[in-house]
Amino acid sequence: DAGVTQSPTHLIKTRGQQVTLRCSPKSGHDTVSWYQQALGQGPQFIFQYYEEEERQRGNFPDRFSGHQFPNYSSELNVNALLLGDSALYLCASSLPYEYEQFFGPGTRLTVL
Amino acid sequence: GENVEQHPSTLSVQEGDSAVIKCTYSDSASNYFPWYKQELGKRPQLIIDIRSNVGEKKDQRIAVTLNKTAKHFSLHITETQPEDSAVYFCAAQRGSQAGTALIFGKGTTLSVSS
């Protein structure tokens, strides 16, 4: 049973560029949440997708957008990258209306 | 907005000692409180969680206590081992609906020396 997977593992971009990160949820899970973890900090909630719609959103600007596909996989898009967007981006999946969230290994984004 | 505060930020203990990490939360509607362990360069792993309908939960050397009135919860690790060394995060669910956003504390770096 595959756990949550994310791609790519690492990514280097320059300011102003756009980036797309991908997540495949744990088998049977249809709810995907995205978190940003800056160095030395706890994960911060970006948004959550369920049934291909954004169900909840954290305090992140519109530069952060997402999408969920019919197979429940998800993408996180960040436009107009800033140096402060450098972080580990974590995806977590869960069953609908279940409490436990399972995290993927993350994508390390570096913005130069 | 919702907030979770975690203390201490670093904790150093000798092997075999106990370790306690404390968190407070602000959202009165929160009813789910997980604890995650994150080793360097790895994903957060759930180690124990507690729902608001219980005051304490134990799993071998790990226990969590919850005081809903005071809005704080704690992680207790007994008989610590070097492999317990990691960053520990507490979290509180936003609101009362299952599966919604987790609000994390800033983490506690636990070092267990042998």
Side-chain angles (χ1 to χ4, degrees), chain A residues 37 48 56 97 100-101 103, chain B residues 36 38 43 97 99-101:
Chain A
Q37 187 177 22
Q48 183 183 78
Q56 271 196 321
Y97 307 106
E100 188 172 351
Q101 296 187 24
F103 282 87
Chain B
Y36 286 86
Q38 188 175 30
R43 73 186 76 193
Q97 183 178 340
T100 55

Side-chain angles (χ1 to χ4, degrees), chain B residues 77-90:
Chain B
I77 306 174
T78 58
E79 300 171 23
T80 54
Q81 300 167 4
E83 51 265 38
D84 293 331
S85 296
V87 181
Y88 291 81
F89 293 98
C90 64

Side-chain angles (χ1 to χ4, degrees), chain B residues 11 17-23 33-36 46-51 54-67 72-80 84 88-90 110:
Chain B
L11 182 58
D17 287 350
S18 294
V20 180
I21 303 171
K22 299 182 179 182
C23 290
F33 307 91
W35 286 87
Y36 286 86
L46 179 71
I47 55 172
I48 195 167
D49 56 12
I50 190 167
R51 300 270 302 275
V54 297
E56 184 173 358
K57 183 177 178 181
K58 189 173 182 181
D59 182 4
Q60 299 183 338
R61 298 186 295 109
I62 295 174
V64 59
T65 58
L66 171 66
N67 182 327
H72 66 70
F73 56 113
S74 300
L75 177 71
H76 304 253
I77 306 174
T78 58
E79 300 171 23
T80 54
D84 293 331
Y88 291 81
F89 293 98
C90 64
L110 174 64

